[in-house]
Amino acid sequence: MDMIDDTPLAAQRVAGRGRLFCGKSGGRTRLQRLYQDGSAKIRMPAVQGDPLEAVLINTAGGLTGGDRLGWEIEVGDGASASITTQACEKIYRAASDRAETTVSLDVGAGGGIAWLPQETIVFDRAAFARTLDVTLAGSAEVLLLEATLFGRLAMGEQAVLGNFHDRWRVRQDGRLIHAEDFRIGPDIAAGLQRRAVAGGARAIATLLLVSPRAEALLEPARAIIADQGGASFWSVGQSGKLLARLTAGDGYQLRKRLVPLVELLNGRAGLPKLWSL
């Protein structure tokens, strides 16, 4: 008689990795190599000139405990790229383990990249860790954005419990010029109430611009942010660093200030076409 194995099967987990390499050729930025595996897909909208645009897609529709997603973008000397996502990334409740996303950006001399994903939505009892590692040549420029919604107010959702960790490291010419670690949990709701964290806001965003243009944009950035966050500037070698933070009661209110701020900091490239209020 055959024995029936009633051992519970391990849930299948999301695993995706995408790599994009672009360089300057024939007077404009062109795709040189593309790799995509698992749930990670990359699409390239048709554009008339620089920057090259890429849209990142997680076909799993979200992440939960045990899921792994990785993106690697390399921009060659003198090339430029703008990277966004097809939609907001959703981080669902984790029964065990945590979801992890890793991002690696490498920009050559005279190159530039705008990392502009749409918001990350964190659900109640989610567990998530994200790392962002950026390597810049001395004359390279970068604009980084990560925006996070802890629940969706319009849907009556709130992230009460869970764990969230966001880690950034930015190096230029081998020197660390920016580092931050944002951690909140296990009582997310209580943490967001703290004045030094979000002052009761559920939606937050961090933007970092490394560019010689940064200092001139400080006051216009502060005018857009008003009393919903702050911005500061530091000289970094022959370049400059502008760091801005935004807070809001919900995603819609956050975007009302985030959209003009991205348009300001991203120069002629402006806002990714997929973004809308």
Side-chain angles (χ1 to χ4, degrees):
M1 182 171 130
D2 293 335
M3 298 297 292
I4 298 175
D5 185 356
D6 60 358
T7 303
L9 295 175
Q12 185 175 0
R13 297 270 53 93
V14 169
R17 183 161 294 276
R19 302 188 184 103
L20 183 153
F21 302 84
C22 60
K24 201 80 169 182
S25 176
R28 61 175 295 185
T29 302
R30 301 180 187 274
L31 177 67
Q32 294 182 332
R33 283 173 288 161
L34 178 68
Y35 172 85
Q36 48 192 13
D37 179 70
S39 66
K41 306 299 179 188
I42 303 175
R43 297 295 179 263
M44 316 289 293
V47 295
Q48 298 302 314
D50 284 358
L52 176 144
E53 293 187 11
V55 179
L56 310 182
I57 304 169
N58 172 20
T59 58
L63 299 171
T64 187
D67 292 345
R68 303 289 185 265
L69 190 62
W71 304 105
E72 182 178 338
I73 312 293
E74 183 175 329
V75 179
D77 294 353
S80 59
S82 177
I83 313 297
T84 189
T85 54
Q86 183 187 42
C88 297
E89 186 67 272
K90 299 177 179 64
I91 313 299
Y92 296 112
R93 175 174 178 167
S96 62
D97 202 353
R98 68 182 185 182
E100 295 182 1
T101 295
T102 59
V103 178
S104 174
L105 309 177
D106 192 306
V107 188
I113 190 169
W115 173 257
L116 302 171
Q118 299 194 59
E119 298 89 339
T120 297
I121 302 173
V122 179
F123 287 78
D124 192 35
R125 299 182 183 274
F128 180 59
R130 177 173 56 211
T131 61
L132 178 60
D133 288 292
V134 183
T135 301
L136 303 173
S139 56
E141 298 186 21
V142 64
L143 172 60
L144 304 175
L145 163 68
E146 288 292 356
T148 306
L149 312 181
F150 292 95
R152 296 176 295 185
L153 186 62
M155 301 293 186
E157 302 163 351
Q158 183 178 4
V160 178
L161 301 175
N163 284 285
F164 179 89
H165 179 203
D166 204 11
R167 176 187 182 275
W168 294 22
R169 296 292 185 271
V170 182
R171 291 175 172 81
Q172 190 165 44
D173 270 348
R175 183 165 64 101
L176 184 67
I177 62 170
H178 185 80
E180 63 175 79
D181 278 76
F182 174 72
R183 294 177 184 264
I184 191 167
D187 191 339
I188 291 177
L192 292 174
Q193 291 297 320
R194 296 175 58 189
R195 186 172 181 180
V197 179
R202 293 188 187 182
I204 62 174
T206 297
L207 298 96
L208 175 68
L209 174 66
V210 178
S211 167
R213 302 180 294 113
E215 185 172 14
L217 298 175
L218 178 60
E219 291 308 321
R222 285 175 169 171
I224 293 170
I225 296 168
D227 61 351
Q228 301 301 306
S232 299
F233 169 82
W234 298 264
S235 293
V236 179
Q238 300 300 311
S239 187
K241 180 176 79 170
L242 188 157
L243 180 66
R245 302 194 194 275
L246 286 167
T247 61
D250 58 37
Y252 179 76
Q253 294 301 320
L254 182 70
R255 278 216 175 190
K256 285 178 66 176
R257 296 189 186 275
L258 192 56
V259 165
L261 187 57
V262 170
E263 290 177 326
L264 170 72
L265 299 182
N266 205 24
R268 292 182 300 172
L271 201 68
K273 294 180 178 63
L274 285 178
W275 277 55
S276 62
L277 273 174

